[in-house]
Amino acid sequence: MSMKIVAEHPGGADVLRAIDVEAGTPAKDEVLVRHTAIGVNFIDIYFRSGLYPWPVDKNLVLGSEAAGIIEAVGDGVSDFSIGDRVAYTIPNGAYAADRIVETRHLVALPDAVTDETAAASMLKGLTAHYLLHRSFRVEAGQTVLFHAAAGGVGLIAGQWLADKGVTAIGTAGGPEKCALARQNGYAHVIDYKNEDFVAQVQEITGGKGVDAVYDSVGKDTIAGSLKCLKTFGTLVNFGQSSGPALDFKLSDLAAGSFSVTRPVLFHFTADSAYLQTASKALFGMIEKGALKINVNQRFPLADAARAHRALETRKTTGSTILVP
Ligand code: NDP
């Protein structure tokens, strides 16, 4: 039997409960992975709350990234063997002691990357990768604004931007989070709970504005983010931790001939070649010491509800892990 954490129906953290189900046998091109570490992400909260549509009527197994060890392989599997250490990021199904995964979603873990690091960085690190290389391709010498800089994606992005020679301005809620962001690549950090981030960005850039804003906060920040862009700048909206920005209009872009994009990681990772290339780049950054993955919260898998409450009430920094 295999323990899984499900949301019985959309709602608050109290809809999460543990159930036992048959582990199952891998079919063609599938493997059974015993999880050693599972990542917690804001997308888990969007699914749990019902903001994102459910693929099932009830008992949705949450969780979109994990690492573990292959325990069984199905027919036709040649790239992976029993005992291999692997990780993956796909929507839902990861809050479980083990699960069956199609091999096209798997990446092999190098010795230098621990299971915990992989589970803390597959979804967040590949997100940082596509944001900086695909959504708005950053170049040395540019200046960008990155909201929620002390969060899971934020701490990875800050280090990656610094490695590329980009001046990163971060926002974070409160002095401790600001200090952490500063230690993780951000040249400037604005406490947007207590300061006007638009005025601060204008001051830092001498009134010019930034080349791009990466905004995952949504409702509370989008309008201000547009005011931080230089002419022809790009707004990358990749989340809505404070709620969806419902009053955004295309005509808002006319203020500076701005571009806007609203990307989703899984559209990029559906391409196996991209998944492997981006994972290699992510692990390469970790191996060369340019990127440290901050695992700042750990909970037993059975305590997933506690992890959710911490994340959605802004109590966490960096990555959060569930341990089966
Ligand atoms: P974080 O660790 O960044 O947590 C979210 C942070 O958002 C909080 O810690 C908080 O930081 C900030 N925040 C601001 N307002 C609120 C609010 N009202 N309620 C809660 N948090 C708020 O999460 P993740 O690293 O998991 O994800 C970061 C964002 O990126 C999320 O919005 C997520 O959905 C998005 N994302 C999108 C992907 C995509 O492909 N589109 C893929 C991965 C992530 P502070 O206290 O400093 O304000």
Side-chain angles (χ1 to χ4, degrees):
M1 297 297 274
S2 168
M3 195 268 255
K4 294 185 190 293
I5 300 291
V6 297
E8 287 187 286
H9 49 81
D14 49 354
V15 301
L16 298 181
R17 69 180 180 94
I19 59 167
D20 280 320
V21 293
E22 287 293 336
T25 310
K28 187 168 182 310
D29 297 328
E30 292 179 343
V31 300
L32 176 67
V33 179
R34 177 170 57 78
H35 289 155
T36 46
I38 301 155
V40 177
N41 290 280
F42 225 89
I43 191 174
D44 306 344
I45 289 168
Y46 301 145
F47 273 112
R48 192 212 67 214
S49 68
L51 179 69
Y52 285 2
W54 280 28
V56 291
D57 291 336
K58 61 173 191 166
N59 285 347
L60 177 63
V61 183
L62 299 172
S64 297
E65 72 181 336
I69 295 161
I70 295 181
E71 295 233 302
V73 298
D75 287 344
V77 174
S78 54
D79 294 352
F80 295 96
S81 310
I82 291 173
D84 284 356
R85 294 170 58 242
V86 292
Y88 66 85
T89 174
I90 44 178
N92 298 311
Y95 286 7
D98 50 38
R99 77 176 294 187
I100 289 169
V101 187
E102 286 179 67
T103 53
R104 68 192 170 98
H105 300 302
L106 295 178
V107 297
L109 294 183
D111 291 344
V113 177
T114 66
D115 293 19
E116 183 177 83
T117 294
S121 65
M122 278 301 291
L123 193 154
K124 301 165 190 76
L126 297 186
T127 297
H129 183 276
Y130 87 69
L131 289 174
L132 308 190
H133 298 89
R134 296 285 181 97
S135 295
F136 175 79
R137 189 185 289 270
V138 291
E139 288 171 15
Q142 289 178 326
T143 303
V144 304
L145 173 65
F146 206 105
H147 288 300
V153 179
L155 288 186
I156 295 174
Q159 296 173 72
W160 216 324
L161 286 163
D163 188 68
K164 285 180 169 296
V166 175
T167 301
I169 305 173
T171 60
E176 284 171 18
K177 287 189 175 188
C178 288
L180 185 62
R182 241 175 249 115
Q183 290 158 17
N184 283 269
Y186 290 91
H188 310 270
V189 187
I190 303 162
D191 179 351
Y192 60 175
K193 266 188 181 166
N194 298 302
E195 292 172 290
D196 175 353
F197 75 83
V198 177
Q200 291 288 317
V201 167
Q202 292 306 337
E203 193 179 317
I204 292 165
T205 60
K208 285 201 214 111
V210 295
D211 294 281
V213 181
Y214 295 97
D215 189 326
S216 65
V217 173
K219 180 167 71 68
D220 291 352
T221 48
I222 287 283
S225 293
L226 285 171
K227 292 187 184 139
C228 293
L229 286 173
K230 61 165 65 157
T231 308
F232 302 119
T234 299
L235 171 67
V236 183
N237 170 224
F238 66 105
Q240 55 276 306
S241 308
S242 68
L246 299 175
D247 55 355
F248 174 81
K249 301 182 297 304
L250 272 183
S251 56
D252 295 342
L253 304 177
S257 298
F258 303 138
S259 298
V260 66
T261 178
R262 203 317 184 177
V264 174
L265 170 68
F266 305 119
H267 295 149
F268 295 88
T269 52
D271 173 2
S272 302
Y274 175 80
L275 172 66
Q276 296 301 332
T277 305
S279 302
K280 208 169 157 196
L282 172 67
F283 297 152
M285 285 285 290
I286 295 170
E287 280 175 292
K288 79 172 182 178
L291 176 58
K292 177 179 178 290
I293 304 300
N294 293 263
V295 180
N296 293 348
Q297 298 77 213
R298 294 177 184 81
F299 298 87
L301 175 57
D303 273 354
R306 213 149 53 83
H308 274 219
R309 286 188 194 103
L311 184 58
E312 65 193 333
T313 58
R314 304 169 83 162
K315 299 268 172 16
T316 65
T317 57
S319 299
T320 301
I321 286 294
L322 298 176
V323 184

